[in-house]
Amino acid sequence: MKKRKILFLGESYRADAITWTNGLKEFGDFEIISWELKTPSNSLYNKLMRILEFKFALFKIKKLVKLHRPDMVIAERTTSYGFLAALSGVKPIAIAQQGRTDLWPENSPFLPFKKALQNYAFKKATLIHAWGPVMAISMAKAHVDMEKVLVLPKGIDLTKFENRNTASPDQISAIVTRSLMPEYRHDIILKAFGILNEKGIDFTLTIVGDGTQLAILKNLAKKLEIENKVLFTGRIPNTELPKLLQASSFYISMPITEGVSASLFEAMASNCFPIVTDIPGNQSWIQHRKNGQLIALDDPKMLAEELLWSFENKDLRKKAVLMNRKFVENNADYKVNMRIIADKYHELIDANTTN
């Protein structure tokens, strides 16, 4: 039987994309052909060059389609790669909304343009992925045909993220695993730990990853006089992450916007007690003072107080981490969810072939 090919449009190096495409290879026996924009968007000049590259992207994609003749096209981000997928000429089309709405930043002068691209992609797509309920809510508000929407996270590999937590219950040991970018508000986390330090409370804080804020955050830790208690690991291999999570009692994430966070699922699977921002993307999974904590945006004082409260309430934390592990096993198991997605793609390809 001929192996089926999928053209993936998106940034193939990202962890989310790797999970998606690897899952399709493993559980659907698909061959994946990838294409992505080459210009990074880390400066104003590069952003302008990226827009220029985007204008000529369709020509390159059409050449790729002619060469490989894929059976299906899939794309991340409804406002960019999803729009290109809709124009590619390949059917069926599956697009994934990556953020709560993908219309980001909310104050962008290009928002009406992005909305028009997104609406076109929604209209032309055969299947639309909402990796979590918060995305489906925004799709319904945008009058998407909800018959085309599959609400299901890709999930995480539970064999890697095991519930064997080794953290000491007598010390606050916290971990942050989000990119060091402004929207993830690592400065709020450091300020909260600065407050705990002033109160004489012992802790360790591990900040995993890299990004534009690294030097700024290191300077802030020094200014707050907590640099000896904060470990900046930099970028690490994915194989090292489970061990760091299992050595931490708390997982902290303070983004200003959220879609579905694989990082949160990884922490929940590893018996870390989650403390996250009180925004829709987190409210889908966390109930305040039940299975985690929900913290107001940009409020280091509240973060410090709630962290201390949860540290002192050990029985609640014990129940919460067991509840969270069970939730991830039942709802975010990569081996179960990616098989469902892969089977759905085969079904769509079969239907398109017979039509």
Side-chain angles (χ1 to χ4, degrees):
M1 184 177 167
K2 180 188 167 187
K3 188 173 242 189
R4 285 168 161 174
K5 298 177 183 177
I6 287 180
L7 173 60
F8 171 73
L9 303 181
E11 281 137 21
S12 58
Y13 59 86
R14 292 176 64 252
D16 277 354
I18 292 167
T19 300
W20 192 3
T21 53
N22 281 355
L24 294 175
K25 292 174 192 173
E26 185 177 354
F27 301 111
D29 196 30
F30 287 107
E31 179 184 340
I32 307 296
I33 302 118
S34 298
W35 184 89
E36 63 202 76
L37 295 165
K38 300 296 186 287
T39 312
S41 56
N42 55 356
S43 68
L44 179 58
Y45 173 76
N46 278 350
K47 282 178 183 176
L48 293 172
M49 293 303 293
R50 192 175 172 89
I51 291 168
L52 187 64
E53 187 184 0
F54 185 81
K55 284 181 70 175
F56 295 99
L58 189 58
F59 172 73
K60 293 178 181 179
I61 291 167
K62 294 259 189 185
K63 280 183 71 176
L64 210 57
V65 169
K66 191 174 179 181
L67 177 65
H68 293 282
R69 299 191 179 279
D71 299 286
M72 181 176 183
V73 61
I74 65 175
E76 60 179 10
R77 295 205 195 95
T78 55
T79 55
S80 54
Y81 293 109
F83 175 72
L84 291 171
L87 293 174
S88 68
V90 180
K91 288 184 179 179
I93 304 163
I95 62 172
Q97 186 166 294
Q98 293 299 109
R100 184 172 63 87
T101 67
D102 274 358
L103 300 172
W104 180 260
E106 292 175 354
N107 60 352
S108 169
F110 300 108
L111 213 58
F113 177 64
K114 287 184 177 182
K115 196 173 285 189
L117 299 184
Q118 184 183 63
N119 287 340
Y120 184 82
F122 280 150
K123 186 179 177 182
K124 293 295 181 182
T126 317
L127 176 73
I128 303 166
H129 285 290
W131 302 127
V134 69
M135 297 168 174
I137 292 167
S138 74
M139 288 174 190
K141 286 180 181 175
H143 307 293
V144 171
D145 177 2
M146 298 307 285
E147 294 277 321
K148 300 196 291 186
V149 177
L150 176 63
V151 185
L152 186 73
K154 294 183 290 295
I156 62 165
D157 190 342
L158 293 172
T159 61
K160 293 177 182 174
F161 296 93
E162 298 177 290
N163 56 338
R164 294 189 299 180
N165 196 286
T166 58
S168 168
D170 301 318
Q171 184 194 43
I172 294 175
S173 50
I175 189 167
V176 186
T177 62
R178 310 307 295 269
S179 299
L180 274 56
M181 305 298 285
E183 58 267 29
Y184 290 112
R185 296 297 200 263
H186 291 75
D187 58 325
I188 299 299
I189 298 170
L190 288 174
K191 287 172 185 176
F193 278 92
I195 292 169
L196 294 180
N197 191 55
E198 286 174 359
K199 292 181 177 181
I201 295 160
D202 191 26
F203 66 85
T204 62
L205 173 62
T206 301
I207 297 178
V208 178
D210 201 357
T212 60
Q213 300 294 292
L214 180 59
I216 294 167
L217 294 170
K218 283 185 173 181
N219 286 335
L220 178 58
K222 195 170 183 179
K223 184 180 175 184
L224 294 168
E225 299 180 353
I226 58 173
E227 71 270 27
N228 293 334
K229 297 183 178 183
V230 180
L231 171 64
F232 290 92
T233 68
R235 189 172 284 127
I236 62 168
N238 283 341
T239 50
E240 289 184 21
L241 183 58
K243 288 181 285 183
L244 290 174
L245 285 167
Q246 287 162 14
S248 307
S249 48
F250 294 92
Y251 164 83
I252 302 177
S253 178
M254 293 286 116
I256 57 175
T257 186
E258 190 72 277
V260 172
S261 171
S263 299
L264 175 58
F265 289 154
E266 290 164 356
M268 291 168 77
S270 306
N271 284 7
C272 293
F273 186 80
I275 303 180
V276 295
T277 33
D278 190 4
I279 53 178
N282 290 326
Q283 291 160 4
S284 300
W285 322 110
I286 301 300
Q287 290 181 283
H288 186 59
R289 290 193 173 185
K290 288 188 178 178
N291 70 323
Q293 303 277 56
L294 293 170
I295 309 298
L297 280 171
D298 294 337
D299 192 337
K301 185 172 181 288
M302 181 184 180
L303 174 55
E305 288 170 354
E306 291 298 327
L307 181 55
L308 191 55
W309 183 90
S310 54
F311 176 64
E312 291 169 348
N313 283 269
K314 291 182 174 63
D315 288 342
L316 179 137
R317 281 195 288 124
K318 279 181 187 175
K319 289 177 187 174
V321 295
L322 293 174
M323 190 191 315
N324 288 342
R325 173 70 191 192
K326 200 72 182 168
F327 175 85
V328 176
E329 288 175 352
N330 291 338
N331 297 279
D333 185 340
Y334 160 82
K335 292 186 177 180
V336 173
N337 293 9
M338 281 307 308
R339 190 177 295 280
I340 292 170
I341 291 167
D343 288 347
K344 183 67 176 175
Y345 287 4
H346 277 292
E347 182 187 314
L348 293 175
I349 293 168
D350 287 341
N352 187 67
T353 305
T354 55
N355 286 345

